[in-house]
Amino acid sequence: MHLLKRLSMIMLFLGITGIMFGQGSTTSAMNGRILDETGQALPGATVVAVHVPSGTQYGVVTNNGGFFTILGMRPGGPYKVEVSFVGYEKASWDDVMLSLGESFVINASLTEARAQLGEVVVVGSKPPVFNSEKNGASINIRNEQIIAMPTISRSINDITRLTPQANGNQIGGGNYRQNFITVDGAQFNNAFGIGTNLPGNGTPISLDALDQISVNITPYDVRQSGFIGASVNAVTKSGDNEFRASVYAFMQNERYKGTQVGDATFARSPSSYNMQGMRLGGPIIKNKLFFFMNYEREKSEIPGPPRVASTPSTPPNYTNNIARPTVAQMDLISAYLKETYGFETGPYQGYAFESPGQKFLARIDWNIAQNHKFNVRYSLMESKEPSNPSTSFSPFSSLYTGRRTDMDAMWFQNSGYFQERNFYSPSSELNSYFGGGRFANTLRF
């Protein structure tokens, strides 16, 4: 039984390790060394980092060599870091900002406390960031950059082009299928293989819900694997001790488009795009439990087929998009289908296609204790894209051998179909410390 218990623990560890290695980075870290004024290590010194907006605390003690490491920290900030040891003056740093997937370095020398009159002032210079001497090509994009970055499709692909090694969504000289993309550790690759590198036609999650994005091409991190192009990791926003909300809208129509290319002029076809969104975040229990949610609704209209049915006064003319079917024939077919089968055909000319869609995200962050942090997130994306009737035809028909969408044919609006793009993604993560910070574990589902 003792051997069986050991084997079971080993299999459990390997299973968790396999899960971890298949995921991307969702947290930040902090490390460094604490010495005294003579350069000797201070084992047992206490390092406490507080995420100021939410009050989330992380604390460890230094080992025999004076080194410390804090893993599983919330990206962003600002953080307030305080280092203390019995008999020594405290050292502190304010406005420390953490980047996703990178480790912030703090090295400190503590001075012995002396009983004397007067004010004691401890001044600490801003410690270097690991990013300044990083190993491997990577780039971190913070929320301020995401907000300021101009986008066309409001997709992660519009942001990752900040990577010098990127050519569109092809990073590091490879194909976009060689990238590994995660949001909060959950895979966001287009596993179906049709369309863009991301599900949902490239926009599976609202850009307004993302907090940071990191692009790693050659990371020196055993937690990141499963790709030969780049590892693109994103984390969503979290609530904090202040209620924050925003409402936004984007719109576009044919008036934003030109009417001339070179010496050629052309008329603009009616089209429109409208998107409304909102986000809300704040505390449920101050310093303990937080929420964040985001919702977007969008609808686009694009022109349908430009051809029109012929009439006695306007005979078929393929150059001018006048098809062979006549107005009388199309009206007769539409009336027959409605009277006989109750089927509404819709118009056969002068109509537009509508593409509705919506995105929703909800996240809960729970500070269970100083050594245990938990978060859970759920997102969905639902959209419809209209398509014309199939171009197939019967080669055995003696009446008509053309395709259904050739200029010899016309089709009603309701003869088309919608292709749905739906994407649902849950994610949860538990970050824990044991043994005074000597052991760290991340359990992710």
Side-chain angles (χ1 to χ4, degrees):
M1 290 298 293
H2 186 65
L3 178 61
L4 181 60
K5 183 182 295 185
R6 284 191 173 186
L7 290 175
S8 300
M9 292 298 295
I10 293 174
M11 292 302 295
L12 176 61
F13 173 77
L14 292 177
I16 295 176
T17 303
I19 295 173
M20 286 293 297
F21 284 7
Q23 304 295 332
S25 177
T26 61
T27 58
S28 300
M30 187 178 294
N31 69 85
R33 192 181 189 191
I34 309 302
L35 308 173
D36 62 15
E37 53 191 336
T38 65
Q40 298 298 314
L42 287 179
T46 302
V47 182
V48 177
V50 180
H51 185 259
V52 177
S54 66
T56 306
Q57 293 189 10
Y58 303 88
V60 295
V61 295
T62 57
N63 61 16
N64 291 334
F67 294 97
F68 75 93
T69 300
I70 308 177
L71 301 175
M73 303 179 69
R74 288 179 58 162
Y79 277 86
K80 181 175 182 179
V81 183
E82 187 174 271
V83 180
S84 61
F85 189 72
V86 176
Y88 287 78
E89 300 289 349
K90 294 181 179 180
S92 62
W93 295 264
D94 296 321
D95 299 324
V96 174
M97 302 296 295
L98 302 185
S99 299
L100 174 63
E102 296 181 1
S103 186
F104 198 96
V105 179
I106 288 183
N107 295 316
S109 296
L110 301 187
T111 305
E112 284 191 64
R114 296 178 175 87
Q116 61 181 9
L117 297 177
E119 182 181 5
V120 178
V121 179
V122 178
V123 179
S125 60
K126 186 176 181 180
V129 181
F130 182 73
N131 183 52
S132 62
E133 297 179 0
K134 66 178 68 177
N135 293 319
S138 64
I139 185 172
N140 186 277
I141 306 163
R142 295 187 176 180
N143 186 250
E144 295 81 3
Q145 295 173 285
I146 296 176
I147 295 174
M149 188 75 178
T151 66
I152 298 176
S153 61
R154 288 182 57 80
S155 169
I156 295 177
N157 292 329
D158 289 341
I159 307 301
T160 55
R161 67 174 184 266
L162 286 173
T163 308
Q165 296 86 354
N167 179 17
N169 54 24
Q170 302 178 16
I171 304 174
N175 187 277
Y176 70 84
R177 296 179 180 85
Q178 297 169 334
N179 300 331
F180 190 80
I181 303 172
T182 67
V183 175
D184 292 332
Q187 178 177 320
F188 265 60
N189 300 302
N190 186 3
F192 195 61
I194 296 178
T196 64
N197 62 322
L198 289 165
N201 203 26
T203 57
I205 193 168
S206 169
L207 202 61
D208 198 66
L210 298 180
D211 185 49
Q212 289 195 39
I213 301 173
S214 69
V215 181
N216 298 281
I217 300 175
T218 57
Y220 285 75
D221 190 341
V222 296
R223 296 172 298 175
Q224 301 190 42
S225 64
F227 65 92
I228 55 177
S231 175
V232 180
N233 303 310
V235 291
T236 55
K237 294 178 180 177
S238 305
D240 53 40
N241 284 327
E242 293 187 18
F243 285 99
R244 308 174 194 271
S246 69
V247 179
Y248 52 93
F250 296 89
M251 58 196 71
Q252 186 188 83
N253 56 33
E254 72 278 1
R255 296 180 181 179
Y256 288 82
K257 302 175 183 178
T259 60
Q260 186 172 349
V261 177
D263 296 330
T265 59
F266 53 88
R268 292 176 293 200
S269 300
S271 63
S272 67
Y273 173 80
N274 292 280
M275 189 267 280
Q276 300 86 33
M278 61 81 63
R279 63 179 172 89
L280 175 65
I284 300 175
I285 302 175
K286 190 174 181 180
N287 294 336
K288 193 75 173 179
L289 194 63
F290 312 93
F291 78 96
F292 175 83
M293 60 179 297
N294 172 265
Y295 178 75
E296 282 186 2
R297 180 180 63 185
E298 60 184 349
K299 184 178 74 171
S300 62
E301 293 186 4
I302 58 175
R307 68 190 65 173
V308 296
S310 60
T311 63
S313 59
T314 55
N317 187 325
Y318 296 167
T319 303
N320 296 325
N321 284 325
I322 302 176
R324 188 179 67 175
T326 65
V327 170
Q329 290 173 335
M330 299 302 291
D331 290 340
L332 178 64
I333 295 173
S334 179
Y336 175 80
L337 292 174
K338 182 177 181 180
E339 294 172 0
T340 307
Y341 303 103
F343 176 70
E344 293 285 351
T345 63
Y348 52 85
Q349 62 187 23
Y351 60 87
F353 291 121
E354 293 187 357
S355 297
Q358 64 176 352
K359 299 182 182 75
F360 173 76
L361 179 140
R363 172 170 172 151
I364 296 291
D365 287 80
W366 181 19
N367 295 335
I368 303 173
Q370 181 171 311
N371 293 337
H372 302 281
K373 311 293 189 297
F374 176 77
N375 70 75
V376 59
R377 185 265 303 159
Y378 177 76
S379 66
L380 67 84
M381 189 280 304
E382 297 177 338
S383 67
K384 292 182 178 181
E385 182 177 349
S387 298
N388 294 328
S390 171
T391 58
S392 63
F393 67 98
S394 173
F396 305 104
S397 173
S398 59
L399 298 177
Y400 178 66
T401 58
R403 300 182 184 275
R404 299 178 185 179
T405 56
D406 287 346
M407 284 300 297
D408 286 333
M410 292 194 71
W411 61 92
F412 297 99
Q413 183 181 26
N414 294 341
S415 298
Y417 62 95
F418 281 99
Q419 180 177 353
E420 294 192 13
R421 289 189 171 99
N422 301 328
F423 186 74
Y424 309 93
S425 173
S427 176
S428 62
E429 183 174 282
L430 175 65
N431 289 288
S432 301
Y433 291 91
F434 306 95
R438 291 180 298 168
F439 304 100
N441 181 69
T442 296
L443 180 62
R444 186 180 299 151
F445 171 76

